[in-house]
Amino acid sequence: MTILGGVVGVANGALLVGWLYFGGVSMAALYIPGIFVGLAQGLARPYAQAGAMAVDTELAGSASGAVVFSQFFWPAALQQFTGLLADGSWVPMATVHFAAMTAALLAGWMAARAER
């Protein structure tokens, strides 16, 4: 499910970039891909949380705290990074979004491979 969420996220990033490039900036171009961000996160986050807590049952509380911290830290850090890159166009926002979704898919894929 984390990989499926990552795939949906990367596809959403491509949709966002394509829509903004070919269709221009509009409310629909920003909000409709936002729906799919919520879908991707809803697919991936619960399973990432459960997977982190399942590694060592004695450290489940620490793992839960670390994962929740990560789930709040990275979006905030990437939002700040997007602000630093801001140039008045949609390109920095879409680039950071697509890169973050690709990194999330890669992280999910690496975690799934490590279980084997």
Side-chain angles (χ1 to χ4, degrees):
M1 291 303 285
T2 55
I3 292 175
L4 179 60
V7 169
V8 169
V10 170
N12 176 61
L15 171 70
L16 177 67
V17 170
W19 197 333
L20 291 171
Y21 184 77
F22 293 110
V25 177
S26 68
M27 294 304 279
L30 297 174
Y31 282 103
I32 291 174
I35 294 168
F36 293 105
V37 168
L39 177 67
Q41 290 178 354
L43 288 170
R45 277 186 173 187
Y47 291 92
Q49 182 83 16
M53 292 187 314
V55 172
D56 186 353
T57 56
E58 292 182 13
L59 299 174
S62 296
S64 175
V67 171
V68 170
F69 171 79
S70 176
Q71 289 173 348
F72 282 110
F73 173 78
W74 286 111
L78 290 172
Q79 182 177 354
Q80 291 295 318
F81 184 61
T82 302
L84 289 173
L85 296 177
D87 63 358
S89 72
W90 57 267
V91 175
M93 182 267 306
T95 303
V96 170
H97 175 76
F98 186 76
M101 292 292 105
T102 303
L105 175 60
L106 180 62
W109 180 73
M110 290 173 58
R113 281 186 56 105
E115 289 179 359
R116 295 179 187 167

XYZ file of all heavy atoms in Angstrom:
834
model
N 0.820 -1.204 0.000
C 0.000 0.000 0.000
C 0.861 1.264 0.000
O 0.457 2.264 -0.582
C -0.943 -0.004 1.205
C -2.034 -1.048 1.127
S -3.076 -0.953 -0.330
C -4.089 0.435 0.048
N 2.022 1.195 0.650
C 2.883 2.379 0.609
C 3.402 2.619 -0.800
O 3.518 3.772 -1.234
C 4.064 2.256 1.588
O 4.781 1.063 1.314
C 3.600 2.251 3.020
N 3.693 1.552 -1.512
C 4.145 1.714 -2.886
C 3.004 2.221 -3.762
O 3.203 3.100 -4.603
C 4.739 0.403 -3.419
C 6.038 0.113 -2.668
C 4.982 0.483 -4.918
C 6.669 -1.200 -2.991
N 1.798 1.708 -3.564
C 0.647 2.198 -4.318
C 0.423 3.682 -4.035
O 0.172 4.469 -4.950
C -0.606 1.395 -3.979
C -1.890 1.836 -4.681
C -1.756 1.729 -6.192
C -3.067 1.008 -4.180
N 0.522 4.073 -2.782
C 0.399 5.487 -2.438
C 1.490 6.324 -3.103
O 1.233 7.429 -3.578
N 2.702 5.787 -3.164
C 3.791 6.491 -3.846
C 3.552 6.626 -5.338
O 3.828 7.668 -5.928
N 3.036 5.561 -5.945
C 2.735 5.615 -7.383
C 1.641 6.652 -7.663
O 1.746 7.435 -8.611
C 2.339 4.219 -7.904
C 1.759 4.295 -9.303
C 3.536 3.284 -7.877
N 0.601 6.653 -6.825
C -0.459 7.653 -6.988
C 0.126 9.060 -6.803
O -0.218 9.987 -7.542
C -1.625 7.399 -6.004
C -2.604 8.564 -5.980
C -2.336 6.107 -6.351
N 1.031 9.219 -5.850
C 1.654 10.517 -5.611
C 2.504 10.981 -6.784
O 2.447 12.153 -7.182
N 3.295 10.083 -7.370
C 4.128 10.454 -8.514
C 3.249 10.778 -9.725
O 3.494 11.748 -10.445
C 5.149 9.340 -8.837
C 5.838 9.598 -10.166
C 6.182 9.256 -7.727
N 2.219 9.957 -9.936
C 1.284 10.246 -11.033
C 0.611 11.593 -10.814
O 0.400 12.366 -11.761
C 0.248 9.134 -11.142
N 0.290 11.896 -9.566
C -0.308 13.186 -9.241
C 0.665 14.324 -9.509
O 0.277 15.377 -10.010
C -0.750 13.201 -7.776
C -1.285 14.547 -7.378
O -2.255 15.000 -7.946
N -0.634 15.182 -6.425
N 1.936 14.126 -9.170
C 2.937 15.154 -9.458
C 3.064 15.409 -10.953
O 3.166 16.555 -11.388
N 3.025 14.340 -11.743
C 3.070 14.493 -13.195
C 1.811 15.199 -13.699
O 1.883 16.048 -14.602
C 3.234 13.130 -13.858
N 0.652 14.850 -13.127
C -0.595 15.520 -13.493
C -0.514 17.012 -13.186
O -0.896 17.845 -14.015
C -1.777 14.895 -12.751
C -3.122 15.619 -12.860
C -3.677 15.492 -14.269
C -4.107 15.064 -11.843
N -0.004 17.348 -12.019
C 0.122 18.751 -11.628
C 1.021 19.519 -12.588
O 0.661 20.586 -13.082
C 0.656 18.860 -10.197
C 0.915 20.266 -9.673
C -0.388 21.024 -9.513
C 1.667 20.206 -8.358
N 2.191 18.959 -12.882
C 3.129 19.628 -13.784
C 2.515 19.771 -15.179
O 2.560 20.843 -15.785
C 4.471 18.860 -13.849
C 5.355 19.394 -14.966
C 5.199 18.938 -12.520
N 1.923 18.693 -15.684
C 1.310 18.750 -17.006
C 0.171 19.747 -17.088
O 0.051 20.513 -18.054
N -0.678 19.743 -16.078
C -1.822 20.660 -16.069
C -1.367 22.114 -16.026
O -1.870 22.963 -16.750
C -2.718 20.343 -14.884
C -4.107 20.900 -14.960
C -4.525 22.011 -15.627
C -5.265 20.368 -14.351
N -5.869 22.204 -15.456
C -6.345 21.196 -14.672
C -5.494 19.262 -13.534
C -7.625 20.967 -14.219
C -6.776 19.033 -13.090
C -7.837 19.866 -13.427
N -0.385 22.393 -15.163
C 0.101 23.769 -15.069
C 0.842 24.192 -16.337
O 0.737 25.342 -16.762
C 1.003 23.923 -13.842
C 0.295 23.829 -12.495
C 1.311 23.769 -11.367
C -0.668 24.972 -12.291
N 1.581 23.269 -16.940
C 2.345 23.604 -18.140
C 1.428 23.818 -19.342
O 1.569 24.798 -20.068
C 3.368 22.505 -18.433
C 4.256 22.819 -19.610
C 5.309 23.719 -19.482
C 4.041 22.232 -20.847
C 6.127 24.026 -20.550
C 4.847 22.531 -21.932
C 5.896 23.420 -21.768
O 6.694 23.721 -22.843
N 0.509 22.880 -19.554
C -0.335 22.950 -20.740
C -1.617 23.755 -20.532
O -2.134 24.342 -21.479
C -0.695 21.542 -21.221
C 0.481 20.779 -21.740
C 0.989 19.706 -21.029
C 1.100 21.149 -22.921
C 2.087 19.002 -21.495
C 2.200 20.455 -23.397
C 2.702 19.376 -22.685
N -2.130 23.773 -19.304
C -3.399 24.441 -19.059
C -3.301 25.776 -18.343
O -4.276 26.496 -18.225
N -2.124 26.083 -17.840
C -1.957 27.336 -17.113
C -2.403 27.202 -15.657
O -2.996 26.209 -15.247
N -2.108 28.220 -14.912
C -2.445 28.237 -13.492
C -3.934 28.563 -13.343
O -4.423 29.542 -13.890
C -1.593 29.272 -12.734
C -1.987 29.333 -11.274
C -0.115 28.949 -12.873
N -4.627 27.708 -12.615
C -6.040 27.936 -12.310
C -6.336 27.274 -10.974
O -5.533 26.496 -10.456
C -6.935 27.351 -13.406
O -6.855 25.941 -13.405
N -7.490 27.581 -10.435
C -7.877 26.963 -9.164
C -8.019 25.455 -9.327
O -7.599 24.686 -8.462
C -9.184 27.572 -8.651
C -9.060 29.041 -8.275
S -7.771 29.346 -7.070
C -8.619 28.903 -5.591
N -8.599 25.024 -10.437
C -8.775 23.586 -10.672
C -7.425 22.893 -10.795
O -7.259 21.766 -10.308
C -9.608 23.347 -11.927
N -6.458 23.546 -11.422
C -5.129 22.948 -11.594
C -4.427 22.742 -10.258
O -3.551 21.886 -10.136
C -4.274 23.812 -12.511
N -4.789 23.517 -9.265
C -4.178 23.370 -7.945
C -4.989 22.462 -7.029
O -4.426 21.683 -6.263
C -3.991 24.749 -7.301
C -3.045 25.692 -8.042
C -3.053 27.056 -7.388
C -1.648 25.124 -8.113
N -6.317 22.552 -7.080
C -7.145 21.818 -6.134
C -7.423 20.377 -6.537
O -7.484 19.502 -5.674
C -8.466 22.551 -5.883
C -8.298 23.702 -4.937
C -8.269 25.006 -5.405
C -8.126 23.492 -3.583
C -8.092 26.060 -4.534
C -7.930 24.534 -2.710
C -7.925 25.817 -3.192
O -7.738 26.856 -2.336
N -7.611 20.109 -7.812
C -7.909 18.726 -8.210
C -6.717 17.803 -7.955
O -6.890 16.728 -7.378
C -8.431 18.673 -9.663
C -9.813 19.328 -9.690
C -8.480 17.238 -10.180
C -10.417 19.501 -11.048
N -5.486 18.178 -8.321
C -4.366 17.326 -7.904
C -4.223 17.235 -6.381
O -3.746 16.227 -5.860
C -3.144 18.006 -8.537
C -3.694 18.674 -9.744
C -5.044 19.173 -9.301
N -4.679 18.257 -5.668
C -4.661 18.205 -4.205
C -5.525 17.092 -3.649
O -5.226 16.508 -2.605
N -6.608 16.779 -4.345
C -7.457 15.649 -3.939
C -6.658 14.357 -4.001
O -6.729 13.523 -3.094
C -8.704 15.568 -4.840
C -9.603 16.785 -4.618
C -9.462 14.267 -4.618
C -10.701 16.937 -5.654
N -5.862 14.207 -5.063
C -5.083 12.987 -5.219
C -3.907 12.919 -4.262
O -3.431 11.832 -3.931
C -4.642 12.825 -6.673
C -5.805 12.582 -7.592
C -6.272 13.583 -8.413
C -6.449 11.356 -7.588
C -7.352 13.371 -9.242
C -7.530 11.135 -8.415
C -7.984 12.135 -9.243
N -3.422 14.075 -3.794
C -2.405 14.079 -2.732
C -2.995 13.438 -1.480
O -2.367 12.605 -0.829
C -1.907 15.512 -2.432
C -1.083 15.545 -1.158
C -1.101 16.049 -3.580
N -4.221 13.834 -1.138
C -4.893 13.247 0.026
C -5.107 11.753 -0.144
O -4.942 10.974 0.803
N -5.457 11.324 -1.354
C -5.629 9.892 -1.622
C -4.314 9.143 -1.458
O -4.263 8.091 -0.812
C -6.187 9.697 -3.031
C -6.342 8.251 -3.484
C -7.409 7.544 -2.667
C -6.658 8.192 -4.963
N -3.245 9.695 -2.013
C -1.937 9.042 -1.913
C -1.488 8.939 -0.456
O -0.995 7.891 -0.013
C -0.907 9.818 -2.733
N -1.681 10.006 0.298
C -1.281 9.977 1.703
C -2.160 9.030 2.505
O -1.677 8.351 3.417
C -1.340 11.381 2.295
C -0.271 12.285 1.756
C -0.372 13.693 2.306
O -1.308 14.043 3.024
N 0.598 14.524 1.967
N -3.430 8.991 2.188
C -4.332 8.074 2.883
C -4.001 6.622 2.624
O -4.218 5.759 3.484
N -3.473 6.325 1.444
C -3.048 4.959 1.146
C -1.738 4.612 1.850
O -1.583 3.513 2.380
C -2.865 4.783 -0.364
C -4.121 4.746 -1.210
C -3.757 4.818 -2.690
C -4.914 3.481 -0.922
N -0.791 5.531 1.848
C 0.562 5.217 2.301
C 0.788 5.390 3.798
O 1.455 4.564 4.430
C 1.563 6.078 1.537
N 0.269 6.436 4.390
C 0.629 6.769 5.774
C 0.277 5.703 6.805
O 1.117 5.375 7.638
C 0.002 8.113 6.173
C 0.795 9.279 5.722
C 0.210 10.550 6.268
N 1.076 11.682 5.970
C 0.880 12.882 6.441
N -0.139 13.128 7.227
N 1.711 13.849 6.119
N -0.932 5.150 6.811
C -1.225 4.151 7.843
C -0.327 2.918 7.753
O 0.092 2.366 8.770
C -2.684 3.773 7.592
C -3.254 4.881 6.797
C -2.127 5.447 6.012
N -0.009 2.515 6.535
C 0.828 1.330 6.367
C 2.277 1.625 6.698
O 2.995 0.766 7.211
C 0.673 0.781 4.952
C -0.700 0.200 4.752
C -1.730 0.968 4.242
C -0.967 -1.107 5.129
C -3.002 0.440 4.096
C -2.235 -1.650 4.980
C -3.246 -0.866 4.459
O -4.503 -1.384 4.323
N 2.740 2.836 6.418
C 4.093 3.222 6.813
C 4.208 3.247 8.331
O 5.203 2.787 8.909
C 4.440 4.585 6.225
N 3.174 3.761 8.990
C 3.151 3.800 10.458
C 3.174 2.381 11.027
O 3.960 2.073 11.924
C 1.893 4.531 10.922
C 1.771 4.696 12.404
C 2.538 5.887 12.906
O 2.930 6.752 12.150
N 2.770 5.927 14.192
N 2.322 1.522 10.503
C 2.266 0.144 10.998
C 3.565 -0.599 10.717
O 4.040 -1.368 11.557
C 1.091 -0.589 10.355
N 4.147 -0.361 9.552
C 5.406 -1.017 9.217
C 6.537 -0.582 10.124
O 7.370 -1.399 10.530
N 6.582 0.680 10.479
C 7.633 1.164 11.375
C 7.475 0.582 12.769
O 8.454 0.217 13.425
C 7.607 2.685 11.439
N 6.241 0.460 13.235
C 6.014 -0.068 14.576
C 6.210 -1.579 14.637
O 6.463 -2.130 15.706
C 4.612 0.292 15.057
C 4.447 1.773 15.293
S 2.894 2.282 16.055
C 1.674 1.392 15.174
N 6.124 -2.275 13.511
C 6.244 -3.728 13.505
C 7.687 -4.214 13.520
O 7.924 -5.397 13.732
C 5.533 -4.297 12.276
N 8.641 -3.320 13.308
C 10.039 -3.740 13.247
C 10.496 -4.326 14.575
O 11.076 -5.403 14.633
C 10.945 -2.565 12.821
C 12.408 -2.932 12.934
C 10.611 -2.142 11.403
N 10.238 -3.632 15.663
C 10.600 -4.107 16.996
C 9.465 -3.713 17.942
O 9.271 -2.524 18.216
C 11.923 -3.484 17.446
C 12.431 -4.049 18.758
O 11.705 -4.831 19.407
O 13.566 -3.708 19.140
N 8.749 -4.700 18.443
C 7.572 -4.399 19.262
C 7.924 -3.661 20.551
O 7.090 -2.938 21.083
C 6.798 -5.685 19.595
O 7.676 -6.608 20.242
C 6.246 -6.312 18.325
N 9.130 -3.837 21.062
C 9.527 -3.144 22.282
C 9.749 -1.651 22.048
O 9.711 -0.864 22.984
C 10.797 -3.771 22.861
C 10.577 -5.172 23.400
C 11.841 -5.738 24.016
O 12.802 -4.974 24.245
O 11.855 -6.949 24.263
N 9.994 -1.274 20.795
C 10.238 0.128 20.471
C 9.110 0.725 19.638
O 9.305 1.715 18.942
C 11.565 0.264 19.705
C 12.816 -0.192 20.458
C 14.025 -0.148 19.562
C 13.020 0.664 21.693
N 7.930 0.141 19.728
C 6.804 0.593 18.908
C 6.438 2.047 19.203
O 6.132 2.812 18.283
C 5.590 -0.308 19.128
N 6.479 2.458 20.450
C 6.142 3.841 20.794
C 7.143 4.825 20.216
O 6.759 5.871 19.683
N 8.421 4.492 20.307
C 9.447 5.364 19.733
C 9.333 5.415 18.217
O 9.478 6.486 17.608
C 10.841 4.861 20.111
O 11.015 4.931 21.505
N 9.070 4.273 17.600
C 8.916 4.239 16.149
C 7.708 5.069 15.723
O 7.771 5.808 14.737
C 8.765 2.801 15.665
N 6.628 4.955 16.462
C 5.432 5.728 16.147
C 5.720 7.219 16.228
O 5.343 7.994 15.344
C 4.302 5.354 17.103
O 3.180 6.165 16.877
N 6.404 7.631 17.278
C 6.752 9.040 17.436
C 7.676 9.527 16.342
O 7.503 10.632 15.819
N 8.655 8.701 15.962
C 9.580 9.103 14.907
C 8.881 9.246 13.566
O 9.147 10.188 12.806
C 10.717 8.084 14.800
N 7.964 8.329 13.268
C 7.254 8.399 11.989
C 6.320 9.609 11.956
O 6.255 10.322 10.955
C 6.497 7.087 11.703
C 5.580 7.221 10.510
C 7.490 5.955 11.474
N 5.609 9.861 13.025
C 4.711 11.020 13.061
C 5.523 12.310 12.967
O 5.136 13.244 12.254
C 3.817 10.997 14.319
C 3.077 12.304 14.489
C 2.834 9.845 14.234
N 6.662 12.373 13.658
C 7.534 13.544 13.534
C 7.944 13.737 12.084
O 7.896 14.852 11.554
C 8.780 13.381 14.413
C 9.809 14.449 14.165
C 9.651 15.707 14.710
C 10.915 14.192 13.381
C 10.591 16.703 14.482
C 11.855 15.177 13.139
C 11.694 16.431 13.695
N 8.336 12.664 11.429
C 8.740 12.737 10.025
C 7.594 13.193 9.130
O 7.798 13.972 8.196
C 9.253 11.368 9.569
O 9.557 11.382 8.211
N 6.382 12.725 9.425
C 5.227 13.091 8.617
C 4.856 14.567 8.775
O 4.199 15.127 7.896
C 4.034 12.206 8.960
C 4.200 10.783 8.481
C 3.098 9.865 8.961
O 2.302 10.204 9.838
N 3.047 8.672 8.409
N 5.251 15.182 9.853
C 5.017 16.617 10.021
C 6.232 17.445 9.597
O 6.084 18.541 9.062
C 4.668 16.954 11.477
C 3.259 16.624 11.841
C 2.975 15.583 12.702
C 2.205 17.360 11.327
C 1.669 15.271 13.028
C 0.899 17.062 11.652
C 0.628 16.013 12.505
N 7.435 16.920 9.853
C 8.652 17.679 9.575
C 8.879 17.889 8.079
O 9.136 19.007 7.638
C 9.874 16.987 10.191
C 11.166 17.624 9.794
C 11.581 18.796 10.402
C 11.957 17.080 8.795
C 12.759 19.401 10.034
C 13.141 17.682 8.414
C 13.546 18.853 9.039
N 8.823 16.820 7.298
C 9.170 16.925 5.880
C 8.247 17.846 5.092
O 8.745 18.656 4.289
C 9.302 15.547 5.241
C 10.565 14.896 5.670
C 10.704 13.807 6.477
C 11.896 15.336 5.376
N 12.036 13.553 6.691
C 12.780 14.470 6.033
C 12.420 16.391 4.631
C 14.162 14.620 5.944
C 13.798 16.536 4.543
C 14.649 15.659 5.198
N 6.941 17.783 5.261
C 6.118 18.766 4.541
C 6.444 20.215 4.934
O 6.478 21.098 4.075
C 4.681 18.401 4.933
C 4.750 16.958 5.276
C 6.097 16.773 5.912
N 6.694 20.448 6.216
C 7.026 21.804 6.649
C 8.371 22.248 6.082
O 8.515 23.387 5.607
C 7.051 21.871 8.174
N 9.357 21.357 6.094
C 10.677 21.698 5.552
C 10.600 21.939 4.045
O 11.214 22.881 3.526
C 11.674 20.581 5.858
N 9.823 21.117 3.346
C 9.701 21.296 1.902
C 8.907 22.553 1.557
O 9.159 23.192 0.529
C 9.072 20.062 1.272
C 9.976 18.825 1.270
C 9.201 17.595 0.815
C 11.204 19.038 0.416
N 7.972 22.922 2.407
C 7.250 24.177 2.189
C 8.210 25.364 2.325
O 8.164 26.306 1.524
C 6.105 24.312 3.178
C 5.284 25.550 2.979
C 4.105 25.605 3.939
O 3.845 24.678 4.682
N 3.388 26.699 3.913
N 9.077 25.323 3.313
C 10.073 26.386 3.476
C 11.030 26.409 2.284
O 11.389 27.474 1.779
C 10.858 26.189 4.775
C 10.040 26.424 6.013
C 9.597 27.863 6.116
O 10.349 28.792 5.854
N 8.349 28.054 6.490
N 11.443 25.227 1.824
C 12.344 25.130 0.674
C 11.683 25.693 -0.578
O 12.318 26.410 -1.359
C 12.757 23.671 0.465
C 13.750 23.479 -0.633
C 14.996 24.065 -0.576
C 13.435 22.696 -1.732
C 15.922 23.893 -1.600
C 14.343 22.504 -2.755
C 15.589 23.105 -2.688
N 10.410 25.412 -0.763
C 9.670 25.953 -1.898
C 9.631 27.476 -1.830
O 9.784 28.158 -2.847
C 8.242 25.385 -1.940
O 8.308 23.968 -2.015
C 7.465 25.908 -3.127
N 9.445 28.010 -0.636
C 9.457 29.457 -0.468
C 10.804 30.071 -0.809
O 10.878 31.156 -1.378
N 11.890 29.365 -0.471
C 13.221 29.866 -0.820
C 13.445 29.871 -2.326
O 14.162 30.719 -2.853
C 14.298 29.015 -0.145
C 14.427 29.165 1.363
C 15.412 28.146 1.917
C 14.879 30.576 1.713
N 12.853 28.910 -3.023
C 13.023 28.809 -4.473
C 12.043 29.679 -5.250
O 12.168 29.816 -6.466
C 12.829 27.354 -4.918
C 13.818 26.326 -4.403
C 13.436 24.938 -4.889
C 15.237 26.672 -4.819
N 11.060 30.246 -4.560
C 9.981 30.981 -5.235
C 10.529 32.072 -6.151
O 11.392 32.855 -5.763
C 9.039 31.596 -4.205
N 10.004 32.070 -7.371
C 10.400 33.071 -8.351
C 9.193 33.722 -9.028
O 9.332 34.390 -10.043
C 11.330 32.462 -9.394
C 10.671 31.363 -10.212
O 9.500 31.031 -9.952
O 11.340 30.828 -11.114
N 8.019 33.517 -8.469
C 6.817 34.105 -9.031
C 6.109 33.210 -10.038
O 5.081 33.590 -10.572
N 6.673 32.036 -10.300
C 6.026 31.106 -11.228
C 5.611 29.850 -10.463
O 5.895 29.693 -9.287
C 6.981 30.737 -12.371
O 8.008 29.883 -11.904
N 4.979 28.941 -11.179
C 4.528 27.686 -10.579
C 5.629 26.635 -10.554
O 5.491 25.599 -9.907
C 3.321 27.134 -11.331
C 3.572 26.921 -12.802
C 3.317 27.804 -13.804
C 4.139 25.770 -13.417
N 3.688 27.268 -15.012
C 4.202 26.015 -14.805
C 4.614 24.551 -12.946
C 4.710 25.099 -15.717
C 5.118 23.629 -13.849
C 5.162 23.907 -15.219
N 6.736 26.879 -11.234
C 7.770 25.857 -11.424
C 8.389 25.366 -10.107
O 8.502 24.149 -9.898
C 8.843 26.354 -12.416
C 9.981 25.365 -12.549
C 8.209 26.632 -13.775
N 8.798 26.232 -9.171
C 9.380 25.707 -7.928
C 8.411 24.827 -7.139
O 8.799 23.764 -6.634
C 9.748 26.962 -7.137
C 9.896 28.023 -8.157
C 8.897 27.693 -9.230
N 7.155 25.236 -7.061
C 6.162 24.453 -6.318
C 5.967 23.077 -6.943
O 6.001 22.061 -6.261
C 4.835 25.215 -6.261
C 3.729 24.540 -5.481
S 2.594 23.503 -6.444
C 2.024 24.545 -7.725
N 5.800 23.037 -8.243
C 5.568 21.767 -8.921
C 6.816 20.886 -8.887
O 6.709 19.660 -8.742
C 5.127 22.015 -10.359
N 7.992 21.491 -8.994
C 9.231 20.724 -8.968
C 9.454 20.081 -7.606
O 9.787 18.896 -7.516
C 10.427 21.634 -9.328
O 10.178 22.218 -10.606
C 11.721 20.863 -9.349
N 9.273 20.854 -6.554
C 9.446 20.311 -5.203
C 8.404 19.229 -4.930
O 8.708 18.182 -4.356
C 9.403 21.431 -4.142
C 9.347 20.867 -2.735
C 10.612 22.338 -4.299
N 7.170 19.456 -5.368
C 6.114 18.460 -5.177
C 6.460 17.159 -5.883
O 6.379 16.080 -5.287
C 4.783 19.006 -5.687
C 3.670 18.025 -5.648
N 3.026 17.681 -4.482
C 3.093 17.283 -6.625
C 2.101 16.776 -4.745
N 2.125 16.521 -6.046
N 6.849 17.245 -7.143
C 7.172 16.037 -7.902
C 8.387 15.325 -7.308
O 8.400 14.102 -7.186
C 7.418 16.373 -9.376
C 7.602 15.159 -10.231
C 6.518 14.382 -10.590
C 8.860 14.788 -10.670
C 6.676 13.251 -11.374
C 9.034 13.665 -11.446
C 7.944 12.897 -11.807
N 9.401 16.083 -6.909
C 10.594 15.482 -6.304
C 10.263 14.801 -4.976
O 10.761 13.704 -4.687
C 11.671 16.542 -6.105
N 9.412 15.414 -4.169
C 9.036 14.821 -2.881
C 8.230 13.547 -3.079
O 8.431 12.549 -2.366
C 8.240 15.824 -2.052
N 7.322 13.537 -4.044
C 6.529 12.332 -4.314
C 7.421 11.214 -4.843
O 7.247 10.047 -4.483
C 5.413 12.628 -5.320
C 4.335 13.548 -4.801
S 3.351 12.775 -3.493
C 4.000 13.601 -2.068
N 8.389 11.559 -5.679
C 9.323 10.553 -6.195
C 10.181 9.998 -5.059
O 10.415 8.788 -4.980
C 10.201 11.164 -7.301
O 9.343 11.688 -8.321
C 11.126 10.131 -7.900
N 10.636 10.862 -4.164
C 11.429 10.406 -3.012
C 10.592 9.515 -2.094
O 11.101 8.523 -1.551
C 11.971 11.603 -2.245
N 9.318 9.835 -1.914
C 8.445 9.005 -1.081
C 8.249 7.629 -1.706
O 8.270 6.609 -1.001
C 7.093 9.693 -0.885
N 8.070 7.578 -3.014
C 7.942 6.285 -3.690
C 9.225 5.490 -3.556
O 9.193 4.291 -3.262
C 7.588 6.491 -5.168
C 7.546 5.227 -6.024
C 6.513 4.233 -5.493
C 7.261 5.573 -7.467
N 10.356 6.136 -3.731
C 11.646 5.451 -3.592
C 11.842 4.928 -2.172
O 12.304 3.794 -1.974
C 12.783 6.399 -3.972
C 14.192 5.830 -3.887
C 14.357 4.664 -4.845
C 15.211 6.912 -4.178
N 11.469 5.718 -1.176
C 11.593 5.281 0.218
C 10.686 4.082 0.502
O 11.089 3.128 1.172
C 11.257 6.424 1.168
N 9.463 4.110 -0.005
C 8.564 2.975 0.166
C 9.078 1.728 -0.516
O 8.993 0.624 0.020
N 9.642 1.906 -1.704
C 10.186 0.770 -2.441
C 11.385 0.183 -1.709
O 11.523 -1.040 -1.588
C 10.577 1.216 -3.845
C 11.147 0.125 -4.685
C 10.472 -0.913 -5.244
C 12.509 -0.047 -5.036
N 11.347 -1.710 -5.938
C 12.601 -1.198 -5.827
C 13.668 0.682 -4.763
C 13.813 -1.656 -6.343
C 14.860 0.233 -5.279
C 14.924 -0.923 -6.067
N 12.260 1.037 -1.176
C 13.430 0.553 -0.433
C 13.003 -0.159 0.847
O 13.592 -1.177 1.222
C 14.380 1.714 -0.126
C 15.078 2.239 -1.358
S 16.056 3.718 -1.072
C 17.183 3.185 0.185
N 11.984 0.353 1.527
C 11.499 -0.296 2.748
C 10.879 -1.654 2.424
O 11.083 -2.623 3.172
C 10.479 0.589 3.451
N 10.155 -1.748 1.332
C 9.558 -3.030 0.944
C 10.627 -4.041 0.576
O 10.497 -5.232 0.900
C 8.585 -2.834 -0.212
N 11.677 -3.610 -0.082
C 12.781 -4.517 -0.435
C 13.534 -4.987 0.797
O 14.043 -6.105 0.836
C 13.736 -3.857 -1.402
C 13.261 -3.852 -2.816
C 14.333 -3.319 -3.735
N 15.581 -4.042 -3.633
C 16.032 -4.914 -4.542
N 15.304 -5.173 -5.580
N 17.195 -5.513 -4.389
N 13.647 -4.118 1.808
C 14.398 -4.462 3.015
C 13.701 -5.545 3.837
O 14.345 -6.272 4.584
C 14.602 -3.223 3.884
N 12.386 -5.684 3.682
C 11.632 -6.682 4.447
C 11.925 -8.086 3.956
O 11.715 -9.052 4.685
C 10.135 -6.394 4.356
C 9.714 -5.169 5.111
C 8.239 -4.891 4.977
O 7.540 -5.654 4.263
O 7.768 -3.915 5.566
N 12.351 -8.243 2.733
C 12.561 -9.573 2.159
C 13.812 -10.216 2.608
O 14.737 -9.797 3.061
C 12.551 -9.485 0.634
C 11.207 -9.057 0.134
C 11.207 -8.955 -1.348
N 9.938 -8.383 -1.763
C 9.691 -7.935 -2.953
N 10.610 -8.009 -3.865
N 8.536 -7.437 -3.267
